[in-house]
Amino acid sequence: MEAVYPILAAVGVGSLTTLAGAAGGAFLVIAAQRTARPAQREQDAGALSGDVAADVSANHRQTPATHLPPVVQPSRRERSGTMEVAPPDTADRVAALIAHKKAIAELRVALRVRTIQTVTRWSAGLLAVALLFAFIVANVAVGWSAIALANKIAIPVFVLSVGTFWLVRLSEAKAKAEAEAEEGNHYAKKAYELKIELEQAEELRLLDAARLGLPVSDRQYSYKDSIPVELEALRKDGRKYRRKHNVAQSVIIVGSLAGTAVSALADTPPPLKYWAMGITFSVGAAAGFTGYYKWRERAFYLQQTADDIERHATAFELGIHPYDDPDEDVRLAKLAKEIELLRAEQRKREQQLDQPHEGSVDVV
């Protein structure tokens, strides 16, 4: 039975680490719940005007949620003319789109928080029940003294899981109580209700944006102004994949050397055997994940796309080839076309990386 102790200890420590992460996530959820609503309500509508104009483009299908402003209906006189001419109440419609976007942002934050709360609550509750059942069965079948080490690990994990469960439940009850005194509180609703409201909000925003009828030149300018945001998103994703690849490679390199050194000992004591087994498993897992998810290739393609988009944006700002045409509208149209081609190519590369190795050649 003594040979099983290291394995039980490893399993218990892993469970404890997992629960600690879940508890930390619950505390972060509560903090986000307290700060997300005031932060979003204090946003300046004027600071969002540049982003809202970009939202009117066909590439963004987002819209409002509950308590949204009414959809602005253009008059018949405005509908009789071409949609290339902005109606006189364009400022009011842009303000409505700003409110739509703000409502959608609040709904997304609330949905993310409620999803984390639900997953944390169910995970903690199920783990507590499983640990309690295993604790009772093991002690009845084997005896307390035989698995004393496992009990010392299982009991704190059980207490932590129960505490996490009740902590999340209390935060949900508090949000429900606040919803009675505060109108528009999304944190008291269930996740599926928030999903429905988010879909409704996006459809309403799309309807209002379609009726705005901004000229093509304005939409192209908005598209150009959204390029820095697109560049930052691409580079952020690239850094994320590059960081994952570097961590995996570090585990492979250090683990391979450490595993070889431990295994090379002439008389390896029992604790070191378990260490060698864990190191070998870590190296194999890191190598497998690296080869399957292809983090290095994803980071390379994202960085390459970001560099190409930045090159076109710089050429447009400087008025050099291929954006040396004196007509501003022609240059804007060419810029939008080139960037859309780069984005389409990036999507094809991602699809190719997601395909099995034998079928990747079939993806164009």
Side-chain angles (χ1 to χ4, degrees):
M1 197 65 182
E2 296 179 355
V4 184
Y5 284 169
I7 299 178
L8 293 176
V11 174
V13 171
S15 301
L16 183 61
T17 304
T18 303
L19 253 295
F27 283 109
L28 291 177
V29 164
I30 296 175
Q33 179 178 334
R34 292 179 178 177
T35 59
R37 286 173 289 173
Q40 290 175 354
R41 288 172 184 166
E42 293 174 0
Q43 287 179 349
D44 186 7
L48 295 174
S49 59
D51 294 338
V52 170
D55 285 340
V56 183
S57 63
N59 295 327
H60 299 80
R61 289 186 166 264
Q62 302 172 345
T63 320
T66 55
H67 308 290
L68 300 174
V71 177
V72 182
Q73 297 285 353
S75 63
R76 293 184 179 179
R77 183 174 300 176
E78 294 168 0
R79 287 180 177 274
S80 62
T82 175
M83 293 300 290
E84 296 298 322
V85 179
D89 58 345
T90 300
D92 296 335
R93 299 186 185 183
V94 170
L97 290 179
I98 293 174
H100 290 332
K101 182 175 181 180
K102 184 177 180 181
I104 291 175
E106 292 178 353
L107 269 177
R108 286 179 172 172
V109 173
L111 177 59
R112 184 162 54 248
V113 170
R114 291 295 291 122
T115 302
I116 296 175
Q117 283 181 331
T118 303
V119 172
T120 304
R121 174 165 50 84
W122 278 99
S123 301
L126 292 175
L127 183 59
V129 173
L131 284 175
L132 180 61
F133 179 77
F135 175 80
I136 295 174
V137 172
N139 283 277
V140 171
V142 181
W144 174 274
S145 59
I147 54 172
L149 178 60
N151 289 329
K152 292 179 181 179
I153 298 174
I155 292 175
V157 174
F158 173 77
V159 174
L160 181 59
S161 61
V162 173
T164 303
F165 176 83
W166 284 110
L167 180 64
V168 176
R169 288 292 295 173
L170 289 176
S171 65
E172 292 176 343
K174 183 178 179 181
K176 187 174 294 185
E178 293 177 353
E180 298 177 357
E182 181 182 355
E183 185 179 1
N185 188 346
H186 302 302
Y187 296 93
K189 301 176 183 178
K190 298 184 181 299
Y192 73 90
E193 295 176 341
L194 293 174
K195 287 182 180 179
I196 295 174
E197 291 185 6
L198 181 60
E199 292 178 359
Q200 178 188 6
E202 291 175 347
E203 292 296 331
L204 290 175
R205 193 217 61 85
L206 179 63
L207 179 62
D208 217 3
R211 290 172 176 171
L212 180 59
L214 287 175
V216 176
S217 59
D218 291 348
R219 295 197 294 269
Q220 290 175 343
Y221 267 111
S222 300
Y223 186 85
K224 179 183 71 69
D225 292 338
S226 66
I227 291 178
V229 179
E230 181 77 13
L231 287 175
E232 180 60 27
L234 290 171
R235 285 173 175 158
K236 182 178 179 180
D237 291 341
R239 289 193 297 268
K240 178 184 67 176
Y241 289 126
R242 192 178 301 109
R243 185 162 50 248
K244 290 181 178 179
H245 176 76
N246 292 336
V247 170
Q249 290 299 311
S250 300
V251 171
I252 293 173
I253 295 172
V254 176
S256 299
L257 297 175
T260 303
V262 171
S263 301
L265 296 176
D267 187 12
T268 305
L272 290 182
K273 289 182 179 179
Y274 294 111
W275 278 101
M277 181 181 65
I279 292 172
T280 305
F281 176 81
S282 301
V283 171
F289 284 128
T290 301
Y292 181 79
Y293 291 108
K294 303 179 179 67
W295 292 319
R296 182 180 61 181
E297 291 80 3
R298 293 179 188 275
F300 172 77
Y301 287 137
L302 286 169
Q303 185 63 41
Q304 186 181 58
T305 302
D307 293 340
D308 291 339
I309 292 177
E310 185 178 27
R311 176 172 55 83
H312 283 280
T314 303
F316 178 86
E317 295 294 338
L318 298 178
I320 58 179
H321 182 78
Y323 304 102
D324 51 0
D325 193 288
D327 191 348
E328 184 77 5
D329 294 337
V330 173
R331 294 194 291 123
L332 284 171
K334 185 180 294 186
L335 176 65
K337 176 183 177 182
E338 293 295 334
I339 292 180
E340 283 301 309
L341 288 175
L342 290 174
R343 294 177 64 185
E345 185 178 357
Q346 172 61 27
R347 286 191 292 268
K348 292 179 181 178
R349 290 169 177 170
E350 292 177 354
Q351 293 174 3
Q352 186 176 10
L353 290 174
D354 292 334
Q355 296 297 320
H357 179 71
E358 60 273 11
S360 60
V361 294
D362 297 330
V363 180
V364 180

